[in-house]
Amino acid sequence: MSLATTSTSAPRPLHSLPGPTPWPLLGNAPQVPRGRFHQQLEAWARRYGDIYQLRLGPRRYLVVSAPDVVGSVLRRRPDEFGRSRRMEEITRAYGFLGLFSAGGETWRRQRPMVLGGLDPSHIRDYFPALLDVTARLRTRWERSAGQSLDLQAELTRYTVDVTTGLAFGHDLRTLEQDGGEAIQDHLNVVLPALYARVLQPLDLPAWLRTPAQRRAERALQGHLQALREAVAGFIARTRTDLEREPALRERPRNLIQALVAARDQPGSGVCDEDVAGNVLTMLLAGEDTTANTLAWLVWLLHSHPQALARAREEVDTVLGGAAGVQSAAQLAELPWLDACVQETLRLKPAGPLVMAQSLRETVVGDVLVPSDAIVVCLLRPAALDARTFAQPERFDPQRWVGGAGAVHAMGSAKRQVMAFGAGPRMCPGRYLALAEVKLAAAMLLACFDIEEVGTPGGGEPAEHMAIVMAPVGLRMRLRPRRRPATAGAAGA
Ligand code: HEM
C-alpha cells in the first residue's frame, strides 16, 4: 500500500464517504443522465465536496476534484493507476489498442514512439499538410457563404482530414466529398460500434444476444478485418516510402512515417501491431476532441464581440493580409488567440473527466482505495475555482495575457486547467491540437465575417457527453470578408 498524503490519522474507508443516496441494486445509475453524466458528477461535487463516493450497480467509485488530489492520482500512473481494464479489453478486441487505452508494459513501450511522433519539432514538419487542409476548409466555406452550416460537422471534416492525413498518410478528403472511400465506410461502422461498447456498462453474454445483434456482430467483424488490412497496407506503403527516401526517417512528413521510423529503430521494442493500434487511436483521440474545442471557441468568440475584434486585429497584423497562417513561427505570434483557446479549454474541456483504475490498494486524499477501484477525476471544478479565477464562469482571455485582470500566479493557474490531463499520461496530441485549432481560427478570422453562430433556440448550447464533450446544435453562417487579399500559402 502507498500513501498519497502524509496524514497522521488512519485513512477513511471508501464506503464511509458522503455521496448521493443509491437505489437498491442499481445504485446511483438511474440518477446519472445519459449524455450529461459529467454535469451530474460536477453538481454532486458542489454538494458533497471534492471527494465523494458513487455507486453504479454493485461497484463503488471514488470521485475527486481537488486539483492536488486529481494531480496526485494522474501522476501515480502507470504504477498505481491504469486507465480502465475494460477499455483495454474492448480496444484490443477491435484492434485499436494504442496509447490511450493500453496499460502496463504495452503503454510503456508505446509512449516514447507516440510522444516522438507528436512532439513540436515533428508538428513543424507536418505544417505543409496542416496548411493544405486549412486552405481546403476555407475553399469549402467560401463556396457555402451565406448558408446555415452545421458547425460541428464542418469542423469534424477538417479534423478528420488532418488526422487521417497524418495517421494514415492518406487524407480522406471529407472536406470535398461525402463517402466514396472504402476505409471511410469501415470507419463509419467500426467507430460508432466501438464507442457504444465502451459506453455500455456491461457486455451481454453471447447467448443473450438477439439474431439481429449477432448479424450486426458478424458484419462488424468483416469491417474490422478490412480495416486491419487497410492499415497494414498503409504501414507497408510507408515502409516503401522510407526506403526510397531515407531522410524521411529523421524528418517525417506525417505521423505514420514517424511511428514506423521509431518502430524500426533497433531495440525499439515495438511491433507493427503497436503502430497499427496507435494509427487508429489517433482517430479516436484526435478528431472529436479538437473539432469540439474549435466549435466551442467559435461560439465563445462570437458571443464576446470585443474578444473577437481583438483576435481579428491580432490576426490581421500578423498575417499582413494573407488568407491564413503560413508558418509555425507565425502561429507562435498570436498571444491573444492563444489566450482565447486557453479560456475555451478552461470553460469547455472536451474531456472533462479522466478515469483511473487502481492497480493495488492505495490512499487517495485521506481515503483508502481498494485494488481495482475506479477513481473518477473531474477536471473542470479546479478550472472554475473562484479562488484562482475571478468571476470563473466568465470567458475572459485577458486573464492569460497579463496586465489588469490577469491571474496572479500564472503557473499555478495553468496547472489548474488540466484540459489535457496531467502526469505521465498527459495528452501527447496537445501541440497538434493547438496548432489545428489556431490555424482554423486564424483562417476564419482573416477571411470571413461570422454572421451567425448559435443554437436554433438561441440559448447557450447544451453540453453532450459521450466519449468526449460536445456542444449541441450549433449552426454557423459566414460571409467572405471584404478586404484587400494577398493570398499566402494557406490561401494559395
Ligand atoms: C483539444 C484537443 C484535445 C484534448 C482536449 C485532449 C484531451 C486529452 C485528455 C484529457 C487526455 C487524458 C490525459 C490523462 O489521462 O492525463 C488525453 C490523452 C490522449 N490524447 Fe488527447 N486531447 C486532444 C487532442 C488530441 C490529439 C489531436 C491527439 C492525437 C492526434 C491526442 C492523442 C491522445 C492520446 C494518444 C492520449 C493518451 C495518452 C496516454 O494515455 O499516454 N489528443 N487527451
Side-chain angles (χ1 to χ4, degrees), residues 41 45 49-54 61-65 374-378:
L41 264 55
D50 52 25
I51 187 155
Y52 67 91
Q53 66 161 315
L54 185 70
Y61 291 69
L62 178 67
V63 186
V64 297
S65 51
I374 306 258
V375 180
V376 183
C377 299
L378 299 181

Side-chain angles (χ1 to χ4, degrees), residues 19-68:
T21 310
W23 292 26
L25 295 174
L26 298 174
N28 301 108
Q31 302 149 332
V32 180
R34 242 208 155 118
R36 283 195 301 110
F37 56 92
H38 65 303
Q39 287 175 315
Q40 183 58 67
L41 264 55
E42 288 169 356
W44 280 331
R46 288 190 289 276
R47 179 150 177 201
Y48 298 107
D50 52 25
I51 187 155
Y52 67 91
Q53 66 161 315
L54 185 70
R55 257 189 45 205
L56 298 180
R59 201 178 237 292
R60 240 177 252 280
Y61 291 69
L62 178 67
V63 186
V64 297
S65 51
D68 54 334

Side-chain angles (χ1 to χ4, degrees), residues 36-364:
R36 283 195 301 110
F37 56 92
H38 65 303
Q39 287 175 315
Q40 183 58 67
L41 264 55
E42 288 169 356
W44 280 331
R46 288 190 289 276
R47 179 150 177 201
Y48 298 107
D50 52 25
I51 187 155
Y52 67 91
Q53 66 161 315
L54 185 70
R55 257 189 45 205
L56 298 180
R59 201 178 237 292
R60 240 177 252 280
Y61 291 69
L62 178 67
V63 186
V64 297
S65 51
D68 54 334
V69 178
V70 168
S72 127
V73 170
L74 298 184
R75 278 194 300 276
R76 282 189 278 156
R77 298 173 297 174
D79 295 334
E80 285 184 50
F81 292 95
R83 245 182 247 293
S84 113
R85 246 194 280 285
R86 187 176 140 73
M87 184 182 284
E88 184 166 353
E89 279 160 22
I90 295 172
T91 50
R92 190 191 299 276
Y94 279 64
F96 280 65
L97 183 63
L99 198 63
F100 189 84
S101 49
E105 275 317 305
T106 313
W107 178 83
R108 265 184 241 272
R109 68 167 190 263
Q110 290 184 355
R111 178 91 185 172
M113 170 180 76
V114 177
L115 213 55
L118 287 167
D119 71 12
S121 71
H122 282 108
I123 304 304
R124 277 195 291 280
D125 294 336
Y126 305 156
F127 235 69
L130 299 179
L131 295 187
D132 170 61
V133 185
T134 311
R136 286 165 36 214
L137 178 63
R138 176 171 68 86
T139 305
R140 179 180 171 86
W141 283 350
E142 279 167 355
R143 292 201 179 120
S144 50
Q147 293 171 26
S148 168
L149 304 173
D150 176 336
L151 180 57
Q152 190 75 10
E154 291 295 304
L155 296 172
T156 303
R157 285 173 188 269
Y158 168 70
T159 57
V160 165
D161 284 4
V162 169
T163 317
T164 54
L166 293 183
F168 294 155
H170 174 76
D171 174 342
L172 290 182
R173 298 191 79 88
T174 62
L175 284 165
E176 283 81 15
Q177 60 206 12
D178 286 307
E181 290 254 14
I183 190 158
Q184 201 176 345
D185 296 339
H186 302 313
L187 287 169
N188 287 345
V189 176
V190 169
L191 289 177
L194 176 60
Y195 292 152
R197 179 101 182 263
V198 167
L199 285 172
Q200 151 191 323
L202 289 172
D203 286 327
L204 280 183
W207 57 271
L208 264 182
R209 289 184 201 145
T210 63
Q213 280 169 327
R214 282 191 210 148
R215 270 196 305 279
E217 181 59 34
R218 274 196 299 276
L220 175 66
Q221 290 307 328
H223 286 287
L224 280 171
Q225 182 56 26
L227 196 57
R228 270 193 284 274
E229 285 166 15
V231 173
F234 291 135
I235 294 176
R237 201 186 62 190
T238 302
R239 218 165 250 129
T240 312
D241 292 344
L242 295 180
E243 272 158 29
R244 206 176 27 229
E245 204 180 328
L248 288 175
R249 290 190 183 271
E250 293 302 315
R251 299 285 304 269
R253 282 196 286 269
N254 58 42
L255 190 60
I256 190 167
Q257 289 173 353
L259 296 184
V260 173
R263 176 251 180 268
D264 290 351
Q265 289 282 335
S268 71
V270 286
C271 56
D272 277 7
E273 210 185 337
D274 292 315
V275 174
N278 279 293
V279 160
L280 292 169
T281 292
M282 294 307 134
L283 311 189
L284 285 185
E287 289 177 359
D288 290 350
T289 44
T290 310
N292 297 356
T293 304
L294 247 170
W296 284 115
L297 171 67
V298 172
W299 177 73
L300 284 164
L301 282 175
H302 183 65
S303 323
H304 296 82
Q306 282 184 345
L308 184 138
R310 185 163 165 188
R312 168 173 278 178
E313 206 182 300
E314 180 180 80
V315 163
D316 284 348
T317 308
V318 172
L319 303 194
V325 167
Q326 297 169 56
S327 65
Q330 230 176 24
L331 203 61
E333 289 170 29
L334 300 167
W336 182 256
L337 188 57
D338 260 338
C340 295
V341 176
Q342 182 74 7
E343 268 302 80
T344 305
L345 289 166
R346 187 179 71 80
L347 294 170
K348 301 293 180 186
L353 46 89
V354 173
M355 306 271 205
Q357 187 157 17
S358 58
L359 301 175
R360 59 175 98 131
E361 185 179 72
T362 184
V363 171
V364 171

